[in-house]
Amino acid sequence: MKITVLMENSAQDGLIPEHGLSFYVEYRGGRYLLDAGECGAVVYNAAKLGVDLSKVGKAALSHGHYDHADGFNAFFAVNPSASVYARPRITDPEIWAEKEYIGVNMGMFCRHEKRFDLAEGPRDLAEGLHLIPDRVKHEQSLVAETSEGLVVLNSCCHAGVVKILTQLSEQFPGTPIRAVLGGFHLMGKEGVTTLCPTPEKVRSIAAALRDDLKVQDIYTGHCTGDPAYALLEEELGDRLHHLTAGAVYEFAD
């Protein structure tokens, strides 16, 4: 299994960063896309990285926020056929109680509505590759079974990374969690330089990932925020890795 980070808040030289996430996943001969960032620069980054988005067979949307969904407008221009698997409530206005609208661009959604496959999960994109909903009504994880254990991608973990992984451990009893990739939604309302929970809470999250769930590698960035990342790093050491556009991670299928 090979995962290429196409979009993230930070980027390697020559790539475009933006506040968003996008993962290109190669798994057992198939090619998949999870999220597409916010503005379409994912297409530019993919080309720079030698990723042919026209070959993606299936795509998925982790949840209904613009910084993960709106880049699909550009993806559809280069990929004429791949469906985007998402939960039905990604466009439900009842879930957007924010002062500022942060949901899916409805113009984009209406233009490409037939490209979205909306249904409640769990659903399989392929044998061993699952979309599994969590308690946030528009969010889902992409979960890959590998010979090393589960590799879990949940782009923002609004339900809480520990709760999400605990749920998955119950659904896959006896299977270790090899890695988790995504943002942990720990930044404050003022942005990635601020912290929402207390430092003690962040340290407890790290302890649960390390000691209770025994996650081998944690790859995070985006909405985790810089202060939370620094606290996680103190607790997790070399288990923790910073997501950035252009990074490539490989796991044995």
Side-chain angles (χ1 to χ4, degrees):
M1 179 182 189
K2 182 177 178 181
I3 300 172
T4 302
V5 185
L6 297 183
M7 184 54 65
E8 210 270 335
N9 299 29
S10 62
Q12 295 177 0
D13 288 347
L15 301 179
I16 298 172
E18 64 183 25
H19 183 75
L21 266 182
S22 178
F23 297 104
Y24 173 70
V25 178
E26 297 169 80
Y27 179 77
R28 296 179 180 175
R31 299 168 182 174
Y32 308 90
L33 186 71
L34 177 66
D35 297 347
E38 64 169 289
C39 294
V42 64
V43 173
Y44 175 89
N45 285 356
K48 282 285 188 178
L49 292 167
V51 170
D52 186 353
L53 291 179
S54 72
K55 303 296 186 182
V56 169
K58 295 179 182 178
L61 176 59
S62 64
H63 64 289
H65 283 168
Y66 75 96
D67 51 333
H68 301 262
D70 290 1
F72 277 114
N73 192 58
F75 170 73
F76 294 144
V78 298
N79 183 302
S81 60
S83 294
V84 178
Y85 293 76
R87 295 183 70 185
R89 293 195 65 179
I90 60 164
T91 60
D92 190 339
E94 291 184 6
I95 65 176
W96 310 124
E98 309 280 344
K99 292 182 180 179
E100 181 181 356
Y101 181 75
I102 58 171
V104 176
N105 182 298
M106 289 307 298
M108 181 276 294
F109 180 80
C110 290
R111 286 192 301 275
H112 302 289
E113 187 171 3
K114 292 182 179 179
R115 299 288 298 271
F116 286 86
D117 185 327
L118 304 183
E120 284 295 359
R123 298 197 283 174
D124 293 343
L125 295 184
E127 184 177 355
L129 188 64
H130 315 285
L131 287 172
I132 300 181
D134 58 48
R135 66 182 181 87
V136 174
K137 294 178 180 179
H138 59 108
E139 192 158 18
Q140 58 187 349
S141 298
L142 181 64
V143 181
E145 298 181 63
T146 77
S147 61
E148 302 176 73
L150 301 179
V151 175
V152 180
L153 297 92
N154 186 302
S155 294
C156 279
C157 294
H158 292 101
V161 63
V162 173
K163 291 181 179 178
I164 290 167
L165 295 183
T166 299
Q167 171 192 328
L168 292 172
S169 292
E170 293 169 353
Q171 291 181 255
F172 296 87
T175 305
I177 298 175
R178 171 64 179 85
V180 60
L181 299 89
F184 293 166
H185 203 59
L186 301 174
M187 70 181 190
K189 291 183 178 180
E190 292 75 27
V192 296
T193 61
T194 63
L195 179 67
C196 180
T198 64
E200 292 74 21
K201 177 62 176 176
V202 178
R203 293 186 189 280
S204 73
I205 291 169
L209 293 173
R210 181 189 62 227
D211 303 329
D212 301 332
L213 292 160
K214 296 180 171 54
V215 183
Q216 186 172 336
D217 285 291
I218 297 109
Y219 303 83
T220 192
H222 184 47
C223 59
T224 297
D226 299 338
Y229 188 92
L231 291 165
L232 292 170
E233 190 171 35
E234 289 178 13
E235 300 295 325
L236 296 170
D238 58 9
R239 290 191 192 206
L240 187 71
H241 315 273
H242 203 296
L243 291 172
T244 191
V248 177
Y249 310 114
E250 296 192 49
F251 308 95
D253 285 348

